Amino acid sequence: MSPSETPAPEIAATPEPPYYAVIFTSSRTEGDRGYGSMSDEMLRLAAARPGFLGVESAREGVGITVSYWRDLESIGLWKRDADHLAAQRLGRETWYEQYAVRIAKVEKAYGFQREKLNTAPPVSRSAGRSGPATAGR
Amino acid sequence: MSPSETPAPEIAATPEPPYYAVIFTSSRTEGDRGYGSMSDEMLRLAAARPGFLGVESAREGVGITVSYWRDLESIGLWKRDADHLAAQRLGRETWYEQYAVRIAKVEKAYGFQREKLNTAPPVSRSAGRSGPATAGR
């Protein structure tokens, strides 16, 4: 996924636990083969589902996408969504060498946000990144 | 972290659930400032701790490191490790703009491993990647 195709990478602003995380770790096959556009489309569809709380994603050799959900029911409904089922099939047929899915209940969460110091040079792209990483910290 | 500094990215071979995941998501400050070598050292130390089950890591704008542990006690002991405490302090002082830590109990896990087909061209670096992503699939 190129930066122009996807939203800016962010730390998800999730509510106080408990909630659920789906940890999807994958290694890709060679070449895009439609993966980037389908991946973006799945993120858009997932974000519109009831119970979706946020997502974090990075690929550097291995790809890790963690999506956060209100409960197991929300996760199950998204897993069985027709468009998502088609994408899962294409993933096994075409895009993924290997993947692991882990469904986990988030029991505790905390975070850190650097204060904007006068000693740091102003960086324009840091605008809008202030505020808590997770709600309720 | 450059590829030469770190082990090849891999999907962790974890046992059957239940076990725990620590999801660490971060955005970095500019420049390395000793981050790469300390990050490698922390991975080595964590991997030697009792209860450590595996780790997956990628950075692409946002960084995501998921470490897997036998139980909450193992996680607590590593969190309070002296070397790790020093690294955590440096992280807040120097390396991280923002981070979130989520501790989650993995309740379910499954995976996929592509079969090696004769139609696929041989790729030397795929050697050694065969076998299940997670034990017991």
Side-chain angles (χ1 to χ4, degrees):
Chain A
M1 296 186 288
S2 77
S4 62
E5 289 173 322
T6 52
E10 291 289 347
I11 297 174
T14 42
E16 285 289 294
Y19 52 90
Y20 276 83
V22 178
I23 306 165
F24 178 75
T25 313
S26 64
S27 60
R28 284 284 322 280
T29 51
E30 302 284 331
D32 184 76
R33 298 194 263 187
Y35 170 79
S37 59
M38 179 67 98
S39 175
D40 290 349
E41 178 66 8
M42 286 304 112
L43 281 178
R44 274 192 293 273
L45 289 176
R49 301 291 304 198
F52 176 87
L53 301 176
V55 65
E56 295 160 346
S57 192
R59 180 171 298 278
E60 185 189 25
V62 73
I64 305 175
T65 297
V66 188
S67 57
Y68 299 101
W69 300 85
R70 187 177 55 216
D71 48 32
L72 289 174
E73 186 189 2
S74 310
I75 294 169
L77 287 171
W78 170 238
K79 187 184 177 188
R80 295 188 296 277
D81 171 273
D83 291 326
H84 191 199
L85 283 171
Q88 290 169 50
R89 192 182 60 243
L90 276 167
R92 288 187 294 271
E93 287 174 1
T94 304
W95 297 317
Y96 295 117
E97 194 67 43
Q98 185 179 346
Y99 64 67
V101 178
R102 294 177 178 95
I103 298 171
K105 185 179 188 176
V106 179
E107 298 179 348
K108 188 177 175 184
Y110 56 93
F112 164 78
Q113 166 79 50
R114 179 172 302 280
E115 292 184 32
K116 305 302 176 195
L117 299 174
N118 291 330
T119 53
V123 178
S124 63
R125 66 173 174 75
S126 72
R129 283 205 290 170
S130 59
T134 57
R137 282 191 306 115
Chain B
M1 294 187 290
S2 77
S4 63
E5 289 171 324
T6 52
E10 291 290 347
I11 296 174
T14 42
E16 284 289 294
Y19 53 88
Y20 276 84
V22 178
I23 307 164
F24 178 75
T25 312
S26 64
S27 59
R28 284 284 321 281
T29 51
E30 301 286 330
D32 185 75
R33 298 194 264 187
Y35 171 78
S37 59
M38 178 67 96
S39 175
D40 290 350
E41 178 66 7
M42 286 304 113
L43 281 177
R44 274 193 293 272
L45 289 176
R49 301 290 305 198
F52 176 88
L53 300 177
V55 66
E56 296 161 346
S57 193
R59 180 171 298 279
E60 184 190 22
V62 73
I64 305 175
T65 297
V66 188
S67 57
Y68 300 101
W69 300 85
R70 189 178 52 215
D71 49 32
L72 288 174
E73 186 188 1
S74 310
I75 294 169
L77 286 171
W78 170 237
K79 188 184 177 186
R80 295 187 296 276
D81 172 272
D83 291 325
H84 190 200
L85 284 172
Q88 290 170 49
R89 192 182 59 243
L90 276 168
R92 288 186 294 269
E93 287 174 1
T94 303
W95 297 318
Y96 296 116
E97 194 68 44
Q98 184 180 348
Y99 64 67
V101 179
R102 295 178 178 93
I103 298 172
K105 185 178 188 178
V106 179
E107 298 179 350
K108 187 176 175 185
Y110 57 93
F112 164 79
Q113 166 79 52
R114 180 173 301 281
E115 291 184 33
K116 305 302 177 197
L117 300 173
N118 291 331
T119 52
V123 179
S124 63
R125 66 175 173 76
S126 73
R129 284 204 291 170
S130 59
T134 56
R137 284 191 305 115

